[in-house]
C-alpha cells in the first residue's frame, strides 16, 4: 500500500529508524512515548481546510483517477466549475494523488492539440525570427484563475521526479500565454525553473527548458530571466546530449538576442563560449538545431565585433556546409547569416576566396524562395564591390540565377525590385555589363521593358530602364531590343514628361544609346518622342540662359 510520501522522504525515515535502533532502549522508549502523545493530538490529524471541504482523504485518489478518466467525455473548453477540483487535489499531502492530478492536468492541457494550427512538436516560427512552443488546450487563463499556479510552482520543488516532471510540463504549457507568463514571473517561478533546467532527469530538464523558452516570448519576462542568470544556463545547455534541450535552449537564446541590450551578457562569457557553442551546434546532424543555431548567430552578427570573432573562429566552413545542404530549412538561415557577414567590408575578401559567390549562384538556380533570393542579392551586391568579387560573379551562375528570378512567375514584386537593383548595380562595372548582355534572352528583355513602363512602382521602373540603357548596342543586344522599340519609345516619352529630373535624364541617356542603331533612329524621326525631346531641350536651354543671366560675378 502506498505511503503517500516520496522516495526521498521514505529513505530518510528508514535511515532515522535505523539510527534510533542503535540508541539505548531507555531513550528509545521515551522517544516512542513522545511520538505517541504527539500523534494523539488533533492538530496533527487536521487536513488542509481547502482539501477537507471538497473530499475526504480516503477518496482523494479515486477522485483524481475518476477525473482523469472523465476528461475524454467532456467537450472543450471545460466548464469553469469542473476545473475547481484540481486545486484541491493539487494541495493534497498524498504523493500518489499529486502524481495522478498533475498527470491529469497535463492530459487536459495538451488534449485535442491536433485541432489547432500548432504542430505536434509544439513549434511555431514567428516572422520576426522569434520562436514559441506550446500545446493548445482548454483556456490556460482559466487554469490560472482557479488558483492552480502556486501549487504547481511549489511542486517544481517536489522530491518526486514524476510530480516535478508533470508540474513542469504544466507550467511550460501555461507559459504560452502572455498574461500567464507575467503571473509565473510575479509568483517567482523563474528560479525553480532554472534549477530544474540543470536536473539530471532528462524529461524534467526538457520541460523546464521548454518553460524557459516560452518565458522569453515576452520582453519583460525575458528581462527577468536574464536578471536571474538564465543566459549562462541556456548557453551551457547548448552542449546537452538531449537534442530537444539543445533546440529549446538555442531558440530561447535566439529570442533573447533580438534585444540588443542583452548582447553584452551573451557575448561576455569567457573565450567566445557562446559563439563557439553555436558554431558547434551549426554542424549538428539534427537539422532544426543546426538551423536555429545559425539563426541565433545571424541575430548576434549585427555587431561588427561579433562578425570579426566569427570570422576568426572560421565560421565559413560550417556556414558553407549549410548553404550546400540542398535543404531550405538550413539554407535560409545560412544565407541570412552570410548576407550579414558580407555587409562588413573586411570580411568580403575572405568570403570571396572561400568560393561563396559560386555557392550563391547555385542557390539562385535551385530555389525560388523570396527570402533566399533577397539575401543572395544583398550578398552579391556587397561581394561584387571588389575586382576579385566581380570576376567571381562572372565565373559563377549568379547572373543566370538573377535573370531566372526576374522572369519567374512566382517571384514577388518586392523580390523583383531587389533583383533589378542588383542587376542595375552589376551594370555599373564594364566587365559585368558585357557579361550580363551575353546571358540575356528575349524573355528577360520583355520583362525589363514591361517593368520599365510600370510607373505605379517608380523604383522598379527606374531600375529596369537603367539596365536597358546600359546594354552596349552590339549585334546580340540590337537583336534583343528591336522587337521592343515601340514599347521602349512609349515609356521614354513618359519619362521625358515626368517631373523627376532623374527620369528625364535616364530617357535621354537611353535615347543616346539606342540611336546607335540606325533602325531606331528612323523610327524616332518625326515621332512624338522626338518632338518632346526638342521641348525638353528648349526648356533646358532657356533654363541655362536664365541661370547664366543671374550668375554672380566671381569674388575678387
Amino acid at each position: 500500500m502506498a505511503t503517500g510520501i516520496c522516495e526521498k522522504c521514505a529513505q530518510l525515515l528508514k535511515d532515522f529508524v535505523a539510527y534510533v535502533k542503535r540508541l539505548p532502549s531507555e531513550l528509545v522508549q521515551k522517544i516512542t512515548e513522545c511520538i505517541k502523545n504527539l500523534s494523539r493530538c488533533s492538530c496533527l490529524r487536521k487536513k488542509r481546510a481547502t482539501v477537507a471541504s471538497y473530499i475526504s482523504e480516503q477518496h482523494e485518489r479515486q477522485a483524481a483517477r475518476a477525473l482523469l478518466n472523465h476528461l475524454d467525455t467532456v467537450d472543450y473548453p471545460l466548464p469553469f466549475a469542473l476545473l475547481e477540483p484540481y486545486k484541491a487535489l493539487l494541495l493534497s499531502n498524498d504523493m500518489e494523488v499529486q502524481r495522478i492530478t498533475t498527470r491529469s492536468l497535463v492530459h487536459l492541457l495538451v488534449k485535442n492539440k491536433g485541432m489547432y494550427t500548432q504542430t505536434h512538436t509544439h513549434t511555431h516560427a514567428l516572422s520576426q525570427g522569434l520562436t514559441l512552443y506550446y500545446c493548445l488546450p482548454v483556456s490556460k487563463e482559466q487554469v490560472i484563475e482557479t488558483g492552480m499556479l502556486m501549487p504547481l510552482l511549489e511542486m517544481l520543488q517536489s522530491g518526486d521526479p514524476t510530480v516535478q516532471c508533470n508540474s513542469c510540463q504544466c507550467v511550460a504549457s501555461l507559459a504560452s500565454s502572455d498574461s500567464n507568463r507575467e503571473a509565473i514571473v510575479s509568483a517567482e517561478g523563474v528560479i525553480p525553473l532554472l534549477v530544474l533546467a540543470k536536473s539530471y532527469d532528462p524529461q524534467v530538464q526538457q520541460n523546464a527548458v521548454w518553460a524557459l523558452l516560452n518565458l522569453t516570448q515576452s520582453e519583460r519576462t525575458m528581462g527577468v530571466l536574464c536578471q536571474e542568470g538564465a543566459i549562462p544556463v541556456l548557453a551551457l545547455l547548448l552542449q546537452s546530449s538531449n537534442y530537444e534541450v539543445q533546440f529549446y535552449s538555442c531558440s530561447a537564446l535566439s529570442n533573447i538576442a533580438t534585444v540588443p541590450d542583452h548582447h553584452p551578457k551573451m557575448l561576455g562569457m569567457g573565450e567566445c563560449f557562446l559563439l563557439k557553442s553555436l558554431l558547434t551546434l551549426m554542424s549538428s546532424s539534427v537539422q532544426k538545431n543546426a538551423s536555429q543555431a545559425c539563426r541565433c548567430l545571424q541575430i548576434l552578427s549585427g555587431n561588427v565585433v561579433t562578425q570579426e570573432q566569427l570570422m576568426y573562429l572560421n565560421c565559413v566552413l560550417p556556414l558553407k556546409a549549410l548553404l550546400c545542404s540542398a535543404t531550405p530549412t538550413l539554407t535560409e538561415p545560412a544565407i541570412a547569416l552570410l548576407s550579414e557577414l558580407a555587409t562588413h567590408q573586411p570580411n568580403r575578401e575572405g568570403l570571396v576566396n572561400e568560393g561563396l559567390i559560386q555557392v550563391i549562384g547555385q542557390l539562385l538556380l535551385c530555389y525560388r524562395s523570396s527570402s533566399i533570393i533577397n539575401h543572395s542579392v544583398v550578398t552579391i551586391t556587397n561581394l561584387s564591390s571588389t575586382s576579385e568579387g566581380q570576376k567571381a560573379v562572372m565565373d559563377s551562375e549568379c547572373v543566370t540565377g538573377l535573370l531566372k528570378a526576374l522572369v519567374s512567375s512566382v517571384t514577388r514584386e518586392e523580390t523583383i525590385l531587389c533583383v533589378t537593383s542588383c542587376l542595375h548595380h552589376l551594370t555599373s562595372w564594364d566587365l559585368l555589363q558585357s557579361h550580363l548582355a551575353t546571358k540575356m534572352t528575349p524573355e528577360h528583355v520583355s520583362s525589363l521593358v514591361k517593368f520599365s513602363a510600370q510607373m505605379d512602382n517608380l523604383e522598379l521602373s527606374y531600375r529596369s530602364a537603367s539596365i536597358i540603357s546600359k546594354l552596349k548596342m552590339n549585334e546580340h543586344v540590337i537583336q534583343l531590343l528591336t522587337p521592343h522599340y515601340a514599347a521602349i519609345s512609349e515609356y521614354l516619352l513618359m519619362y521625358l514628361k515626368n517631373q523627376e529630373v532623374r527620369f528625364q535624364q535616364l530617357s535621354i541617356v537611353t535615347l543616346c544609346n539606342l540611336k546607335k542603331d540606325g533602325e531606331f533612329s528612323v523610327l524616332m524621326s518625326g515621332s512624338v518622342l522626338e518632338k518632346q525631346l526638342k521641348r525638353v531641350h528648349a526648356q533646358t536651354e532657356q533654363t541655362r540662359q536664365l541661370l547664366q543671366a543671374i550668375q554672380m560675378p566671381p569674388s575678387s
Side-chain angles (χ1 to χ4, degrees):
M1 185 175 180
T3 62
I5 62 175
C6 68
E7 295 176 5
K8 181 179 177 181
C9 292
Q11 186 59 49
L12 288 172
L13 287 174
K14 287 180 182 178
D15 294 343
F16 176 72
V17 170
Y19 173 73
V20 169
K21 286 180 178 179
R22 293 196 293 272
L23 297 174
S25 58
E26 184 180 348
L27 181 58
V28 170
Q29 182 63 32
K30 289 182 178 180
I31 292 174
T32 303
E33 291 176 1
C34 181
I35 291 175
K36 285 181 179 179
N37 290 331
L38 287 171
S39 65
R40 293 191 187 103
C41 182
S42 60
C43 71
L44 291 182
R45 293 201 302 270
K46 285 196 302 182
K47 293 184 289 182
R48 298 186 188 186
T50 53
V51 178
S53 64
Y54 177 70
I55 195 167
S56 63
E57 181 176 345
Q58 59 268 35
H59 292 143
E60 281 180 339
R61 294 184 189 178
Q62 294 90 326
R65 289 193 180 96
L67 191 59
L68 175 60
N69 294 332
H70 187 59
L71 289 176
D72 289 329
T73 67
V74 181
D75 292 332
Y76 289 79
L78 290 178
F80 186 82
L82 195 53
L83 293 175
E84 292 179 351
Y86 275 97
K87 180 182 178 182
L89 292 171
L90 288 173
L91 291 169
S92 170
N93 291 321
D94 189 319
M95 194 63 64
E96 183 62 22
V97 171
Q98 291 183 14
R99 294 189 193 107
I100 295 171
T101 306
T102 52
R103 185 171 72 250
S104 172
L105 191 55
V106 167
H107 183 73
L108 173 67
L109 289 169
V110 304
K111 187 171 181 181
N112 290 340
K113 56 181 177 285
M115 295 173 61
Y116 300 87
T117 57
Q118 284 67 26
T119 65
H120 69 282
T121 57
H122 321 306
T123 305
H124 178 57
L126 301 180
S127 59
Q128 294 83 359
L130 305 182
T131 314
L132 178 63
Y133 303 83
Y134 55 106
C135 302
L136 270 182
V138 71
S139 166
K140 294 179 175 65
E141 286 71 20
Q142 286 183 327
V143 173
I144 297 294
E145 288 168 15
T146 56
M148 285 187 249
L149 179 59
M150 287 307 299
L152 285 171
L153 292 178
E154 289 176 6
M155 287 179 181
L156 295 178
Q157 303 175 62
S158 170
D160 185 84
T162 301
V163 173
Q164 272 191 337
C165 186
N166 291 342
S167 58
C168 198
Q169 189 171 358
C170 290
V171 173
S173 182
L174 291 172
S176 64
S177 158
D178 263 343
S179 58
N180 289 353
R181 283 192 283 272
E182 294 290 336
I184 291 167
V185 168
S186 299
E188 299 183 350
V190 171
I191 295 295
L193 289 172
L194 287 173
V195 171
L196 293 185
K198 305 173 189 176
S199 171
Y200 290 108
D201 185 309
Q203 196 57 51
V204 170
Q205 184 185 56
Q206 182 174 317
N207 288 338
V209 183
W210 174 27
L212 293 174
L213 167 59
N214 280 348
L215 289 176
T216 65
Q217 179 62 25
S218 301
E219 191 167 333
R220 199 193 79 81
T221 55
M222 178 198 300
V224 175
L225 279 180
C226 294
Q227 289 172 6
E228 298 291 354
I231 290 175
V233 173
L234 293 169
L236 284 169
L237 291 172
L238 294 175
Q239 301 179 354
S240 169
S241 58
N242 184 319
Y243 294 144
E244 289 300 318
V245 169
Q246 286 181 340
F247 183 53
Y248 289 158
S249 58
C250 190
S251 300
L253 288 167
S254 296
N255 289 348
I256 294 171
T258 60
V259 180
D261 289 346
H262 298 313
H263 287 194
K265 283 185 180 179
M266 298 181 76
L267 301 171
M269 288 178 277
E271 298 181 349
C272 302
F273 177 80
L274 179 60
L275 297 183
K276 289 177 180 177
S277 299
L278 289 170
L279 286 172
T280 299
L281 195 58
M282 270 178 66
S283 301
S284 170
S285 58
V286 181
Q287 289 187 2
K288 65 178 183 178
N289 290 2
S291 173
Q292 194 62 47
C294 194
R295 185 171 290 110
C296 188
L297 284 171
Q298 185 260 324
I299 298 170
L300 289 170
S301 64
N303 182 304
V304 171
V305 175
T306 304
Q307 290 196 19
E308 292 172 351
Q309 291 173 336
L310 285 174
M311 294 299 289
Y312 175 76
L313 294 171
N314 196 21
C315 69
V316 175
L317 190 61
L319 180 59
K320 192 173 181 179
L322 295 186
L323 289 169
C324 297
S325 66
T327 306
T329 53
L330 295 176
T331 304
E332 290 197 11
I335 190 64
L337 174 56
L338 176 58
S339 70
E340 196 72 52
L341 293 173
T343 59
H344 190 40
Q345 176 68 41
N347 297 338
R348 293 173 186 172
E349 183 179 354
L351 296 174
V352 171
N353 292 339
E354 289 291 339
L356 288 170
I357 287 182
Q358 284 74 12
V359 174
I360 294 172
Q362 294 301 317
L363 291 181
L364 289 171
L365 291 178
C366 297
Y367 292 105
R368 298 275 63 85
S369 161
S370 293
S371 174
I372 291 177
I373 294 173
N374 291 344
H375 287 300
S376 296
V377 161
V378 172
T379 308
I380 293 170
T381 301
N382 285 318
L383 296 186
S384 63
S385 60
T386 65
S387 56
E388 292 82 3
Q390 293 161 29
K391 188 176 184 307
V393 171
M394 282 192 63
D395 295 337
S396 71
E397 296 293 337
C398 285
V399 171
T400 302
L402 289 170
L403 290 172
K404 182 178 179 180
L406 183 72
V407 298
S408 173
S409 59
V410 298
T411 307
R412 298 176 181 174
E413 185 171 301
E414 58 268 26
T415 301
I416 291 175
L417 182 61
C418 290
V419 170
T420 53
S421 176
C422 184
L423 290 171
H424 178 231
H425 171 78
L426 295 180
T427 57
S428 302
W429 316 103
D430 291 339
L431 195 64
L432 292 174
Q433 276 184 16
S434 302
H435 180 66
L436 174 62
T438 60
K439 296 290 184 180
M440 293 184 74
T441 67
E443 186 181 13
H444 302 139
V445 173
S446 295
S447 293
L448 287 173
V449 171
K450 179 182 70 174
F451 297 145
S452 299
Q454 292 180 0
M455 296 301 287
D456 54 331
N457 190 329
L458 293 179
E459 289 305 316
L460 178 60
S461 178
Y462 182 82
R463 291 170 186 174
S464 300
S466 294
I467 296 168
I468 293 175
S469 72
K470 293 183 179 181
L471 295 175
K472 292 185 177 179
M473 297 296 286
N474 54 38
E475 185 178 348
H476 173 65
V477 171
I478 290 173
Q479 188 177 2
L480 290 173
L481 294 179
T482 299
H484 303 284
Y485 278 165
I488 292 173
S489 297
E490 288 181 10
Y491 77 68
L492 290 179
L493 179 61
M494 287 193 295
Y495 288 7
L496 286 173
K497 293 179 178 179
N498 196 287
Q499 296 301 308
E500 286 194 56
V501 174
R502 62 169 180 159
F503 278 99
Q504 295 177 15
Q505 292 176 342
L506 178 57
S507 179
I508 294 169
V509 169
T510 307
L511 286 171
C512 290
N513 190 38
L514 294 177
K515 288 188 74 173
K516 295 173 184 176
D517 177 22
E519 185 174 339
F520 183 82
S521 297
V522 172
L523 179 67
M524 184 179 170
S525 179
S527 66
V528 177
L529 177 59
E530 186 178 52
K531 293 176 182 177
Q532 181 63 31
L533 183 62
K534 290 178 179 179
R535 290 193 195 98
V536 172
H537 180 271
Q539 291 169 358
T540 304
E541 178 61 24
Q542 185 179 14
T543 302
R544 186 190 66 80
Q545 292 175 1
L546 289 171
L547 288 172
Q548 189 175 18
I550 64 170
Q551 185 175 4
M552 298 297 292
S555 58
S556 56

